[in-house]
Amino acid sequence: MESRLAASLISRIRRLRLFSPGETVIVAVSGGADSVALLDILVHLEIEGLTLVVAHLNHSLRGAASDGDEEFVASLASRYQLPFVTRRVDVAALARDGRLSLEDAGRAARYAFFELTANERNADAIALAHHRDDQAETVLIRLLRGSGGAGLSAMSPVRGKLRRPLLKVSRKELENYLKLRGLTWRTDESNADTAILRNSIRHQLIPQLERYNPKVSERLAATAEILSGDEELLEQVAAAAFARLVECSPAAVRLPLGLLLREPRGLRLRLYRLALHELRGDLRRISFAHLEAVDHLASGERPSARLKLPGDCVVSRGYDSLSFSGQWRAPAGNWQLVVSGEGRHTLPVDSALVVERIPCPEKLDSGSRLVAFIDPEAAPFPWTVRNFRPGDRFTPLGMTGEQKVKDLFINEKIPLGERSRVPLIESAGRIIWVAGIRVSEHAKVKATAEKVWRVEILRV
């Protein structure tokens, strides 16, 4: 029975082709049953050259129990002889300072930690243990909160570096797998607290729905998969229309009103979402009601009107265009500075660049994205420090091909109005660091380096 179940789960993941030979994969392990099963399954995938790194975030919410989870995952990584990365975050403080629920603050902290770890390890993927029952719960949560097709398509098997190989596997299958393998896991007592919406749906709503359909979780997950396919197609249609219609400047995103109003209403709403995402870098606090208000502004009779949206965003209608702009600091104009060597160099964007030559540290992970280590031989002076220009390209650390800096900004969710404030450091005509975001492969510290440039951006 053990071998059949293990072979079945491993076969499912192989069929998805989520991982490739030679990749480095960050495996998110909380210590719960699903993540322990995920780790064991990935260990037994036997993909040539696959490098696994176990990552665990201590949320500091449950005192000794949280520390026990960390110790358990550390011992698990040791048993498999895998690298282990952990970090401790005060999620309660993050929730308080950010006016978030503990669940939302914890989720944000986890994803930030996994992405940071992936960047530090030059990882190709981040494996998450979300399974079919999680998917069903997510669909119901979003349905209750009010969501369109994008929300109800729930979690995707692949999104950027994120990989969710267990979305077709039930919680019961994973627990059976662990029992048959003789593996233990940690139980988070807070998962029984039905004051938390997800727990209430898991322990109360879904059992009620199972009275009408015993396979309700399976059906909800299948519905999410169908909607995900539809959403992918609609996103492609919207992206093509956006590329055809949009006019971007450092301060605003504009859509020509005449052409916009010829499009179907559903496509217009998606265009507004894309315009807001391009401007802000995210869609937090933007609801369907806000998109409807924008469409009412665009299709109304007033030739000149304005609408204020969350996130200090203003939508303005003119006679021939609909404009999305921010009310925060005006973007910086074109600027550049020549840096001839070590020292502190004031930049015209409320920051300073500090350059110092130090012995090569044992670890090139500073713990801060505002600090980078650069190989002196690969990056001779003078350097040019400047802002982003259209067409800028560079080779991110760990890659061989070039990437548009604009695409990097989009992937990192840098708002349009802030992009001209991000310092780009050039040496010998090549971008060696998109400051605070990514070092270039051309600046990579060689194993033989005795000294390095330590470069830091200071906010002033």
Side-chain angles (χ1 to χ4, degrees):
M1 174 65 179
E2 175 190 341
S3 60
R4 287 203 303 272
L5 179 58
S8 172
L9 294 180
I10 290 171
S11 176
R12 287 190 209 180
I13 294 175
R14 281 180 176 157
R15 284 200 302 271
L16 291 172
R17 296 182 179 178
L18 299 182
F19 308 106
S20 301
E23 286 189 328
T24 296
V25 180
I26 305 299
V27 188
V29 183
S30 66
D34 42 7
S35 63
V36 173
L38 172 65
L39 179 60
D40 191 71
I41 291 169
L42 292 181
V43 166
H44 290 90
L45 269 183
E46 296 180 349
I47 294 178
E48 183 180 356
L50 193 67
T51 300
L52 304 179
V53 178
V54 179
H56 174 83
L57 184 69
N58 187 328
H59 293 63
S60 305
L61 288 173
R62 295 161 40 242
S66 291
D67 295 340
D69 291 346
E70 181 179 330
E71 293 168 4
F72 173 82
V73 178
S75 66
L76 200 61
S78 177
R79 184 189 313 166
Y80 290 117
Q81 298 182 319
L82 297 174
F84 175 61
V85 181
T86 187
R87 186 156 296 172
R88 187 181 298 264
V89 173
D90 188 346
V91 169
L94 288 178
R96 183 175 60 253
D97 295 343
R99 298 182 180 180
L100 301 169
S101 68
L102 285 175
E103 295 72 39
D104 288 342
R107 185 182 306 109
R110 285 193 299 276
Y111 281 96
F113 167 61
F114 298 144
E115 289 179 9
L116 178 62
T117 303
N119 289 337
E120 293 171 347
R121 297 276 176 158
N122 295 325
D124 305 280
I126 301 167
L128 304 173
H130 297 116
H131 47 71
R132 190 171 69 199
D133 299 86
D134 290 326
Q135 184 79 304
E137 293 159 12
T138 300
V139 172
L140 290 173
I141 287 171
R142 294 182 179 179
L143 182 64
L144 292 172
R145 288 177 174 172
S147 183
L152 294 179
S153 61
M155 296 178 285
S156 171
V158 180
R159 184 173 292 277
K161 286 189 175 183
L162 301 181
R163 306 285 189 274
R164 296 184 175 93
L166 303 180
L167 286 181
K168 291 183 178 293
V169 183
S170 70
R171 181 182 289 112
K172 185 176 180 180
E173 284 179 294
L174 293 174
E175 291 183 355
N176 286 339
Y177 174 85
L178 291 174
K179 291 174 183 176
L180 289 168
R181 294 272 300 146
L183 297 172
T184 59
W185 64 89
R186 298 278 292 181
T187 300
D188 184 345
E189 297 84 358
S190 66
N191 287 338
D193 182 4
T194 55
I196 298 172
L197 178 59
R198 181 175 289 274
N199 293 342
S200 176
I201 287 173
R202 179 182 303 165
H203 299 300
Q204 296 175 336
L205 179 56
I206 286 182
Q208 286 293 321
L209 294 175
E210 285 175 342
R211 295 170 55 191
Y212 300 92
N213 183 347
K215 294 186 176 181
V216 65
S217 291
E218 185 177 339
R219 298 317 314 147
L220 286 168
T223 298
E225 186 175 358
I226 293 168
L227 288 172
S228 179
D230 292 345
E231 188 63 22
E232 183 179 357
L233 173 61
L234 291 170
E235 282 182 355
Q236 291 175 4
V237 172
F242 189 72
R244 174 169 47 86
L245 297 175
V246 71
E247 301 169 6
C248 288
S249 71
V253 177
R254 293 183 179 84
L255 294 168
L257 202 57
L259 295 176
L260 174 68
L261 294 177
R262 294 177 190 172
E263 302 292 349
R265 179 173 177 274
L267 182 56
R268 293 201 304 269
L269 297 180
R270 288 176 178 271
L271 291 172
Y272 306 148
R273 284 172 56 89
L274 289 171
L276 289 167
H277 193 279
E278 176 75 10
L279 182 71
R280 296 166 29 131
D282 60 56
L283 292 171
R284 284 178 295 181
R285 298 168 57 206
I286 297 296
S287 68
F288 179 70
H290 293 124
L291 301 178
E292 281 195 313
V294 174
D295 196 56
H296 181 73
L297 178 72
S299 57
E301 296 181 356
R302 295 176 61 189
S304 180
R306 290 161 61 88
L307 175 68
K308 177 76 166 54
L309 294 181
D312 290 330
C313 182
V314 174
V315 185
S316 305
R317 175 182 166 169
Y319 284 93
D320 58 1
S321 68
L322 192 69
S323 177
F324 298 76
S325 60
Q327 287 189 324
W328 50 78
R329 304 178 298 172
N334 285 342
W335 58 270
Q336 71 177 40
L337 177 76
V338 175
V339 171
S340 57
E342 292 183 79
R344 176 181 173 128
H345 308 272
T346 301
L347 305 180
V349 282
D350 304 324
S351 61
L353 179 74
V354 178
V355 183
E356 57 180 333
R357 188 179 177 92
I358 66 169
C360 185
E362 291 184 8
K363 292 181 62 178
L364 295 175
D365 168 21
S366 67
S368 170
R369 300 186 77 179
L370 297 179
V371 176
F373 296 107
I374 293 173
D375 193 304
E377 292 185 5
F381 288 106
W383 294 351
T384 299
V385 186
R386 62 173 178 82
N387 65 319
F388 165 71
R389 312 285 164 81
D392 278 338
R393 306 178 73 92
F394 87 126
T395 303
L397 186 65
M399 294 178 60
T400 55
E402 286 191 330
Q403 178 184 25
K404 292 181 180 178
V405 174
K406 177 183 176 182
D407 291 342
L408 178 68
F409 286 155
I410 292 171
N411 293 339
E412 295 290 330
K413 298 181 172 58
I414 307 299
L416 187 66
E418 295 295 319
R419 294 175 190 174
S420 64
R421 297 181 177 275
V422 176
L424 273 57
I425 292 127
E426 277 187 347
S427 172
R430 287 176 167 171
I431 295 173
I432 57 173
W433 188 30
V434 180
I437 302 177
R438 192 70 58 83
V439 173
S440 168
E441 176 68 18
H442 297 301
K444 181 179 179 180
V445 175
K446 300 180 183 66
T448 56
E450 296 181 357
K451 298 281 188 177
V452 297
W453 293 121
R454 182 187 183 275
V455 190
E456 181 175 8
I457 292 291
L458 298 177
R459 305 301 187 193
V460 297

